[in-house]
Each structure stands twice: as C-alpha cells, then as structure tokens.
Amino acid sequence: MIRLKKPVVVLRLAFLVLFVWLMKGQALLIWLALYGISLLFPALIGKRIYCMLLCPINTVMMGVQWLKRQRGVKPKPTPPWASGRWLPWVFLVLTAGLFFVTRGKLNKPLPVMLIWIAVAAVMTWRMHPDAFHDGVCPYGAPQRELANVSLLNEENRKEALNYRGFTQSVLGRAQP
C-alpha cells in the first residue's frame, strides 16, 4: 500500500479543521461554495480534488480505516444496495432538500454533513470505504460524473471512464 505523504495529510487535516470552524460559526454556506467551486476540477481536468484532499467525510473515513487496521477488523462484503450508481443521486437530492428546507423554511439548520460523516464512519468500520464512496456519498456523485467529462485532459477522462472504485481510481492505491 502506498503511504500518504505528510503534506497531503496536513492539508486534509487543515480542511477538516476549517470545516469544523465554519460549522461551529454557522457558516457552512462558505463550505458549500467551496464544494461548488471544486466541481470545476473534475469537469476540467478529470481529477476529484475535493474528494481527495478537501472532503471532511473522507478525512474521517481515513482515520476510521487506520483505527480498523490497528484493531484487525476485517471488512464485511458490500451489500447490494450500496453498489449501484443511482443511490448517491437520491441521497444528493434528499440532502439538498433537507438543507434548504431546514435552513430556508424552518430557519433551524440540520447538520446534514455531520449526519453523513457519522454514516460514513459506521459504514467504513463495517465495510470497505468504497461502499460509502461509490454507493452512498451524495457529494461524490457529481464529482464522479464530471470527471468523465474532463474537458482539458483526455488521459484523465479515459482514466475516469475506466473507474475501478474510489480507493484505486481516486486515491491511486490498491484496496486496503
């Protein structure tokens, strides 16, 4: 397995701290804007920069995966419901709906991102992380589809079209 380089880990942790700081300050719209801007990268160069470096869910999942290795926990098989490509889109619509209803209509924000972090952590503890990344994550679905377009990099577009799971295709390493 390829070990992560220290600057990448520091960058991920810095973005996790920024996320927590924005969440604590009730400024998650700034994070949403950052996510929106990040959609340009897969569309233009075919790389999911948000998923690789910025995503607080992925950072927490990596911590859970490390802890799982330390404890010798073996992953259970991915259930059939978490292996399709349509479920993340359903969750994206539900997430956006919850976000706008709770913030706009009810004026009482629901910490949807924290819910997804908890779901991802539990799934990662029980299964391979790709079960969440590929079969559930609402934030990765648009990133994945836009990487297939890759307007400026033909090689990255071909690589995205030859998708072999998040760990191998996005993080560039063998299955843990």
Side-chain angles (χ1 to χ4, degrees):
M1 177 192 324
I2 299 170
R3 291 281 176 202
L4 299 176
K5 296 178 183 168
K6 192 172 184 175
V8 171
V9 173
V10 170
L11 185 62
R12 285 183 179 138
L13 291 173
F15 276 105
L16 179 61
V17 168
L18 175 63
F19 169 76
V20 170
W21 182 71
L22 290 171
M23 186 185 67
K24 196 171 182 184
Q26 300 288 318
L28 277 181
L29 285 177
I30 295 171
W31 191 264
L32 186 59
L34 179 66
Y35 174 78
I37 292 167
S38 79
L39 291 172
L40 292 173
F41 289 99
L44 295 175
I45 63 170
K47 292 292 181 184
R48 292 163 58 175
I49 303 298
Y50 179 84
C51 297
M52 288 189 298
L53 300 173
L54 283 68
C55 181
I57 298 172
N58 187 37
T59 302
V60 169
M61 288 174 71
M62 288 181 159
V64 170
Q65 191 67 6
W66 176 85
L67 185 61
K68 195 166 130 177
R69 278 193 303 273
Q70 299 302 310
R71 301 268 190 229
V73 176
K74 300 291 182 211
K76 294 183 173 147
T78 299
W81 60 263
S83 49
R85 289 184 67 155
W86 61 271
L87 197 55
W89 290 99
V90 170
F91 287 138
L92 178 63
V93 170
L94 290 173
T95 298
L98 277 172
F99 183 84
F100 290 114
V101 166
T102 58
R103 287 188 182 270
K105 301 281 184 198
L106 302 177
N107 202 21
K108 186 165 177 109
L110 179 70
V112 178
M113 188 71 142
L114 288 180
I115 294 168
W116 282 120
I117 288 173
V119 168
V122 169
M123 284 185 72
T124 299
W125 185 260
R126 297 183 52 83
M127 298 170 240
H128 188 279
D130 284 2
F132 178 81
H133 285 299
D134 295 334
V136 175
C137 183
Y139 304 102
Q143 298 271 342
R144 181 175 176 178
E145 294 305 319
L146 288 170
N148 292 337
V149 175
S150 187
L151 298 171
L152 302 178
N153 192 314
E154 178 71 20
E155 184 178 327
N156 288 349
R157 185 176 66 74
K158 286 179 183 175
E159 188 177 313
L161 289 169
N162 187 28
Y163 190 78
R164 297 171 311 280
F166 183 85
T167 304
Q168 191 171 5
S169 295
V170 177
L171 296 180
R173 61 180 185 210
Q175 302 290 335

